[in-house]
Amino acid sequence: MAAVAKEHGSAAVNGKKWHDQHPELGTAPVPIEPYISQEYFNLERERIFRKVWLNVGREEEIPQPGDYLVKDLPVCGASILLVRGKDGRLRAFHNVCSHRSNKLVWDRGGSCQMFACKFHGWTYGLNGQLTFVPDEESFFELKKGELGLTPVAADTWEGFIFINLDPQPRESLKDYLGEMGESLQGYPFAEYSATCYRWTTELRANWKILKDAFQEAYHVAFLHKRSIPDSFTGKNNPFSHGLDYRLYPRHRKMAVYGNMEHQPTPVEKMAFQFGSLVIRNDFSLSNLPPGVNPTRDPAWALDLNVIFPNFFVDVSEGTYFTYNMWPLAVDRTLWEVRTYYPQPKTAGQRFSQEYSKVIFRDVIMEDCSTLEQTQSVLASGAKTHFVLQDQEILIRHDHKVHEDFVGFYRQQ
Ligand code: FES
Ligand SMILES: [Fe+2]
């Protein structure tokens, strides 16, 4: 299934298009309906978000016993409580009191010894067991042992915490991630997660509009001409053709071209010197595991890794960043962006990370600018389909995976 590029910036391998390697995807325009249909959205909720593994954080966020994190998932009408037990184990529960279903924890995270419901004071241990009920004698045959918090399946991969709302997940997290998980094995996620900057925003756009915008580089020469005019495009690759594309049964990845002839500005030069930047030209590829930049192309900037349904882990050398796109409604999405760096050891490294962060923010602000504009005209009916080119193969693959789960067109 994997494809290998012989030459960076080529539109094809051995004169063929990437699509030629995936005839199962076809080349026809793809329908707009899944971006505006309430019925489709309802099916996504039931058949995707309630069934698959979802990334909800990193282990560094709750390192000590008693540390907890609350993750609201409006798409599933749920709130999840993640907590590190006294035994050091990470557990997940529905954040719902067993008495009359009040939301148990209202803040976003912290550290505690127990959880007490604000409504009538029912109290739970870090392992989810119900430990105290005020005026217990007035209840009828109360079985405290059966009234703990409702557990949710939780597991970790490379320090990322995933949950699965299916009471009986159909497969383990390891199996779910499959080859995608294996391809990132050995990437220094723990080392690079010492510093994290994050942004969160709510957008009036379907969550797939966001996903699509970050799984192709066709837009770079146009949308990013101000912020990064020639970092990802060059004389030999004016449209930022991908170096390599790999499609897995659910997930997918792309190696992104970086222009090694880019002449850094004086301030960039200073930032390059000290490390953590996606846009630079002195990568030491040997430090990266073989699944990253798999063709070992020297003109490489980063890999986009799209983990179905809503998690991006985009890796470079010295930094990585993630996106989580959480649907709120068919036309509203909560977007979480995080950018990670190793612990800076010198003022120069700190400067480099700050600079990298600001450039990254400018670029994603440009990305952000088209999303609501696109959604605002989708329902007009002016167009019924998106037209995709060869370099938009990840988007086409995403459509297929969605349809595999949702079955919207199969049932019609
Ligand atoms: S709803 Fe929580 S104690 Fe009553
Ligand atoms: Fe972009």
Side-chain angles (χ1 to χ4, degrees):
M1 201 167 246
V4 178
K6 296 295 176 214
E7 175 188 320
H8 70 74
S10 62
V13 180
N14 299 332
K16 285 185 170 179
K17 291 195 179 332
W18 294 101
H19 277 69
D20 293 338
Q21 300 174 39
H22 298 281
E24 73 282 6
L25 297 179
T27 53
V30 299
I32 285 174
E33 201 173 6
Y35 296 69
I36 51 175
S37 158
Q38 184 62 49
E39 191 187 342
Y40 196 93
F41 185 76
N42 295 345
L43 291 170
E44 287 178 330
R45 165 183 292 145
E46 294 309 317
R47 297 180 182 175
I48 297 175
F49 283 91
R50 286 187 195 278
K51 296 289 178 209
V52 305
W53 289 95
L54 303 169
N55 167 250
V56 288
R58 271 198 67 80
E59 290 214 74
E60 290 86 359
E61 295 176 81
I62 43 173
Q64 301 298 333
D67 290 351
Y68 66 91
L69 195 63
V70 170
K71 189 76 198 169
D72 292 335
L73 301 178
V75 63
C76 301
S79 174
I80 306 301
L81 175 61
L82 299 154
V83 56
R84 178 84 57 192
K86 287 189 178 137
D87 54 1
R89 216 181 109 193
L90 177 76
R91 294 178 178 83
F93 303 100
H94 280 282
N95 185 17
V96 181
C97 178
S98 303
H99 175 220
R100 273 173 37 214
S101 290
N102 181 32
K103 186 174 174 180
L104 181 62
V105 183
W106 293 0
D107 58 6
R108 285 167 55 187
S111 192
C112 68
Q113 295 301 314
M114 65 189 76
F115 300 103
C117 181
K118 291 174 180 55
F119 209 167
H120 314 92
W122 283 34
T123 302
Y124 304 84
L126 300 178
N127 60 3
Q129 276 177 5
L130 176 61
T131 53
F132 178 65
V133 174
D135 196 17
E136 187 175 341
E137 301 71 33
S138 296
F139 282 93
F140 307 95
E141 295 163 28
L142 195 71
K143 293 196 177 102
K144 266 165 61 190
E146 295 173 15
L147 288 170
L149 299 175
T150 305
V152 172
D155 202 353
T156 59
W157 164 76
E158 297 287 343
F160 293 102
I161 306 169
F162 287 74
I163 58 112
N164 191 319
L165 286 169
D166 192 334
Q168 279 167 332
R170 291 165 196 198
E171 59 195 328
S172 67
L173 175 62
K174 189 171 185 296
D175 289 346
Y176 179 73
L177 294 174
E179 286 175 276
M180 173 61 103
E182 285 162 24
S183 77
L184 287 166
Q185 221 160 352
Y187 185 82
F189 285 111
E191 182 194 336
Y192 286 2
S193 300
T195 311
C196 174
Y197 300 99
R198 59 180 72 191
W199 298 272
T200 302
T201 186
E202 196 181 313
L203 291 162
R204 289 180 307 247
N206 183 270
W207 66 293
K208 298 186 293 299
I209 290 284
L210 276 72
K211 284 211 294 179
D212 293 356
F214 297 97
Q215 4 187 11
E216 50 91 355
Y218 181 31
H219 68 274
V220 170
F222 308 94
L223 190 60
H224 298 310
K225 62 176 181 285
R226 190 194 64 80
S227 62
I228 40 172
D230 68 343
S231 296
F232 297 96
T233 56
K235 272 199 297 293
N236 298 328
N237 191 1
F239 300 114
S240 203
H241 283 179
L243 304 173
D244 185 59
Y245 291 88
R246 301 202 178 199
L247 308 182
Y248 304 119
R250 298 172 183 124
H251 320 296
R252 62 201 74 92
K253 66 163 65 200
M254 169 188 180
V256 178
Y257 165 83
N259 179 11
M260 296 301 129
E261 271 134 45
H262 166 67
Q263 292 303 316
T265 61
V267 68
E268 271 180 342
K269 217 179 223 166
M270 227 151 64
F272 283 2
Q273 204 179 315
F274 295 111
S276 306
L277 275 183
V278 166
I279 315 154
R280 59 189 240 238
N281 51 15
D282 62 344
F283 291 115
S284 47
L285 297 174
S286 53
N287 293 340
L288 298 169
V292 175
N293 184 12
T295 61
R296 283 302 190 251
D297 197 313
W300 174 80
L302 72 156
D303 282 356
L304 308 183
N305 296 291
V306 188
I307 296 178
F308 189 79
N310 67 335
F311 183 40
F312 286 58
V313 187
D314 295 349
V315 301
S316 188
E317 200 209 3
T319 181
Y320 76 95
F321 52 94
T322 63
Y323 305 136
N324 298 77
M325 287 88 169
W326 296 105
L328 300 173
V330 62
D331 56 358
R332 281 197 305 125
T333 303
L334 183 78
W335 185 30
E336 296 173 338
V337 180
R338 292 181 175 88
T339 173
Y340 294 88
Y341 301 95
Q343 187 67 42
K345 294 193 181 77
T346 63
Q349 286 174 359
R350 177 72 202 276
F351 163 75
S352 176
Q353 293 182 3
E354 284 289 329
Y355 183 77
S356 167
K357 174 188 81 176
V358 169
I359 290 285
F360 176 66
R361 181 207 57 195
D362 286 357
V363 171
I364 59 173
M365 287 292 280
E366 288 168 343
D367 285 310
C368 208
S369 68
T370 67
L371 307 170
E372 292 188 336
Q373 300 289 355
T374 301
Q375 188 73 33
S376 71
V377 292
L378 278 189
S380 66
K383 310 290 179 194
T384 57
H385 288 75
F386 296 124
V387 181
L388 301 179
Q389 58 123 305
D390 195 39
Q391 298 287 326
E392 293 170 302
I393 191 168
L394 299 190
I395 299 175
R396 187 183 297 284
H397 180 246
D398 203 13
H399 273 255
K400 178 184 180 300
V401 178
H402 266 257
E403 181 55 19
D404 288 347
F405 275 88
V406 169
F408 185 74
Y409 291 97
R410 285 200 302 275
Q411 72 189 7
Q412 287 183 339

